[in-house]
Amino acid sequence: KNTTRLLLSQVATALDTYRLNMGHYPTEQEGGLDALVKKPNFDNEKMGEKWQGPYVKPGTKLDDPWGFAIHYELAEKTGDDETKGALPYKLYSVGPDGQPDTEDDIKLATDTDKDGSVKKE
């Protein structure tokens, strides 16, 4: 599980670097996490010039130690208090059982408590 947490942290850093270069996190149309490894096909040539990847070390597999793909989802921007302070994406492993939304999932996310403080999962 610690290996997976470390991988999620490395992917989060790569996502942040991608965002600094491109001005946004990778979208599904750009290939999601694959956009960190290989240059997406951009309609706009200037966007293609901004891509400075790969953003993860060559040979890095975007799978957890159990062979399941790391899940990445851009969060919906609602602007309400619940989304303030939260990451703009969800990044997680389904864990050893391979099933999403179970107790063994390993997540890299922040939840904002009701008092406004941010806690790591």
Side-chain angles (χ1 to χ4, degrees):
K1 289 185 176 186
N2 286 337
T3 300
T4 303
R5 286 185 187 95
L6 182 60
L7 175 61
L8 292 176
S9 178
Q10 290 171 340
V11 171
T13 300
L15 285 167
D16 290 341
T17 305
Y18 181 98
R19 184 183 146 282
L20 286 171
N21 290 154
M22 304 302 297
H24 63 273
Y25 288 102
T27 64
E28 210 172 295
Q29 293 80 14
E30 294 169 350
L33 292 181
D34 286 341
L36 301 176
V37 179
K38 62 181 183 174
K39 185 176 183 177
N41 292 324
F42 294 102
D43 293 335
N44 181 336
E45 193 175 310
K46 291 211 184 280
M47 286 298 286
E49 292 172 7
K50 290 182 179 182
W51 193 84
Q52 304 275 320
Y55 294 92
V56 293
K57 289 181 184 177
T60 300
K61 294 191 183 258
L62 299 175
D63 295 336
D64 64 22
W66 302 280
F68 301 111
I70 296 297
H71 290 262
Y72 164 74
E73 302 166 15
L74 282 172
E76 297 289 324
K77 292 182 182 180
T78 61
D80 63 15
D81 287 341
E82 279 188 30
T83 59
K84 285 183 183 171
L87 289 173
Y89 57 84
K90 293 179 184 178
L91 190 64
Y92 63 95
S93 159
V94 292
D97 72 358
Q99 300 297 315
D101 301 320
T102 58
E103 285 188 22
D104 72 340
D105 290 3
I106 301 165
K107 300 177 183 180
L108 178 83
T110 57
D111 281 340
T112 305
D113 287 338
K114 294 197 187 325
D115 65 1
S117 64
V118 175
K119 66 177 182 175
K120 284 263 189 195
E121 283 188 13

